[in-house]
Amino acid sequence: PDGIGRILELTGKDKTRFKNIMILGGGKIGRMCASVLEKKFNVKLIESDLKKAYELSDYLSETLILQGDGRDIQLLMDESIGEMDAFIAVTEDSETNIISCLMAREMGVVKTIAHVENAEYNQLTRVIGINALVNKKMITAANITRLVRKTNIVALTHVHGMDAEVLEYVVPPESRITQKDVRNLKFPRGAILGGYVRGDDVGIVVGDTRIQSQDRVVVFSLPHCIQQVEAFFR
């Protein structure tokens, strides 16, 4: 964690401190996001349905509930969207979420997050400038995949905009990955051992690294190498 600030500096990213957040959509996702975020941030939530807006006002104690159309530029301006540090669009309509995020971006919001149902929009967000895309089907699939695989995967995620996966393993005793130094393992060329956590120590994997039992190891892998990678952690 101590290196995050320096990493952001080296990659040309500003370390934005979030204080004011606007959420579009008062469905299950929007309501849950607001209930968590309102404990630390100033949150405004826009919901188009009047009845649902009243229900949200009873459920959320610290969030300001606004009834209106989140695509209404005048509404966004009246609610000082330019002063928001983040805009989160989680309505049930993917196109509405994307369009509203673009509007928020145009009005000066630094961080925009859109919930979409169509995974094909994943590539689109990189082109049009939305910071992050959330697809609950992909998240669910990743968790199911993690649970059904035979090896000790504790985390699995897809690299945004790429056909690649990031996996985190807990190394079981006497697995192949512990038998030799990394340079002698004949690890798949389509995968990279990134780093490991050993107790309180964190290290970058290099040629003479010897992975040990119970290490937590992060692996970056292309899909066609996954089975070969898993064989090293059984």
Side-chain angles (χ1 to χ4, degrees):
D2 294 338
I4 292 175
R6 180 59 177 156
I7 290 293
L8 292 173
E9 180 184 339
L10 290 171
T11 54
K13 303 290 184 180
D14 295 326
K15 188 177 181 181
T16 304
R17 292 188 178 276
F18 292 94
K19 180 180 179 182
N20 301 310
I21 297 174
M22 183 175 286
I23 300 173
L24 175 62
K28 291 181 179 179
I29 299 176
R31 185 179 67 175
M32 292 179 67
C33 285
S35 66
V36 174
L37 294 172
E38 69 176 2
K39 299 172 184 177
K40 294 184 179 181
F41 307 99
N42 300 322
V43 180
K44 293 182 179 181
L45 189 152
I46 301 175
E47 169 55 46
S48 59
D49 185 88
L50 182 60
K51 181 180 178 181
K52 187 178 289 186
Y54 275 114
E55 292 174 351
L56 288 167
S57 65
D58 292 332
Y59 180 82
L60 300 167
S61 58
E62 302 294 331
T63 299
L64 175 61
I65 309 299
L66 305 167
Q67 190 271 320
D69 187 347
R71 296 168 296 183
D72 185 344
I73 296 178
Q74 189 59 50
L75 172 64
L76 296 177
M77 293 178 65
D78 290 343
E79 295 303 326
S80 306
I81 190 170
E83 298 177 6
M84 296 294 117
D85 301 310
F87 183 87
I88 304 170
V90 287
T91 72
E92 296 180 358
D93 186 78
S94 299
E95 286 75 17
T96 295
N97 295 337
I98 292 173
I99 292 171
S100 58
C101 278
L102 290 175
M103 291 167 52
R105 189 81 171 176
E106 186 68 21
M107 295 179 185
V109 180
V110 176
K111 185 80 170 181
T112 54
I113 301 170
H115 168 248
V116 300
E117 287 291 340
N118 192 339
E120 294 178 359
Y121 286 142
N122 202 15
Q123 293 284 350
L124 179 63
T125 57
R126 302 178 64 205
V127 178
I128 61 180
I130 297 176
N131 296 106
L133 176 150
V134 179
N135 182 286
K136 58 188 177 186
K137 294 177 182 176
M138 292 178 64
I139 295 171
T140 303
N143 279 281
I144 292 173
T145 302
R146 176 177 60 83
L147 293 171
V148 300
R149 281 179 172 161
K150 297 179 180 179
T151 47
N152 298 329
I153 300 176
V154 293
L156 183 152
T157 187
H158 296 276
V159 178
H160 182 60
M162 295 183 181
D163 190 18
E165 294 184 2
V166 183
L167 308 102
E168 182 180 352
Y169 292 94
V170 174
V171 180
E174 300 182 1
S175 57
R176 283 178 59 191
I177 200 72
T178 65
Q179 302 303 311
K180 300 177 182 179
D181 290 349
V182 168
R183 64 161 58 94
N184 299 318
L185 285 173
K186 296 183 180 179
F187 205 67
R189 294 182 62 85
I192 297 174
L193 291 162
Y196 63 90
V197 178
R198 183 176 298 154
D200 294 329
D201 296 327
V202 179
I204 303 298
V205 176
V206 294
D208 60 356
T209 300
R210 176 70 69 95
I211 302 298
Q212 298 179 13
S213 173
Q214 299 306 311
D215 284 354
R216 298 173 74 97
V217 180
V218 176
V219 181
F220 301 86
S221 178
L222 296 176
H224 71 272
C225 297
I226 295 294
Q227 290 187 345
Q228 294 172 275
V229 171
E230 289 180 346
F232 281 88
F233 289 91
R234 291 174 183 164

